[in-house]
Amino acid sequence: MIEKISCDIHGSKEMSFTCIHIATAIDSKNQVGFFYSETEEDLPQIAWCGSCEQYLLDNGEDWTDAFETLADFKMLCSDCFEEAKNNETEVHIR
């Protein structure tokens, strides 16, 4: 079961993660790109922006410590995750 978190806006929701670039773009409504992986049972959703995707492509697509430092993943509730996803004109499943 995916852990629930308490969101100031949406209340108790399932946990998800996005890179810092997506997380900070939610309020500004800036479009930064949205790449995410298929949901696996009992694991939270995770998404990253176009810049983070380019870093992955340029560096062998490995989730290294350097990538995780660049992405600086932040915890969001599932509704905030969907809000960020819906803000983008292009969404990519990876």
Side-chain angles (χ1 to χ4, degrees):
M1 176 158 58
I2 298 173
E3 188 176 331
K4 294 209 177 223
I5 62 170
S6 179
C7 175
D8 291 341
I9 299 167
H10 301 109
S12 180
K13 298 289 180 177
E14 289 186 348
M15 174 192 318
S16 67
F17 293 91
T18 67
C19 71
I20 184 71
H21 313 108
I22 291 174
T24 58
I26 292 173
D27 291 335
S28 68
K29 303 288 188 216
N30 289 336
Q31 294 186 336
V32 295
F34 198 93
F35 294 79
Y36 70 107
S37 57
E38 289 281 352
T39 304
E40 294 184 32
E41 189 175 327
D42 295 336
L43 292 177
Q45 283 199 296
I46 188 165
W48 55 97
C49 70
S51 294
C52 287
E53 174 68 5
Q54 192 60 55
Y55 180 90
L56 284 172
L57 294 173
D58 292 344
N59 292 281
E61 300 187 40
D62 293 328
W63 284 52
T64 62
D65 289 342
F67 169 70
E68 290 184 19
T69 298
L70 170 75
D72 191 17
F73 286 100
K74 301 299 179 192
M75 189 183 326
L76 300 177
C77 83
S78 56
D79 284 1
C80 286
F81 184 95
E82 287 301 316
E83 183 179 326
K85 183 174 156 185
N86 292 334
N87 183 55
E88 295 293 332
T89 54
E90 289 188 36
V91 174
H92 307 273
I93 291 183
R94 196 143 176 333

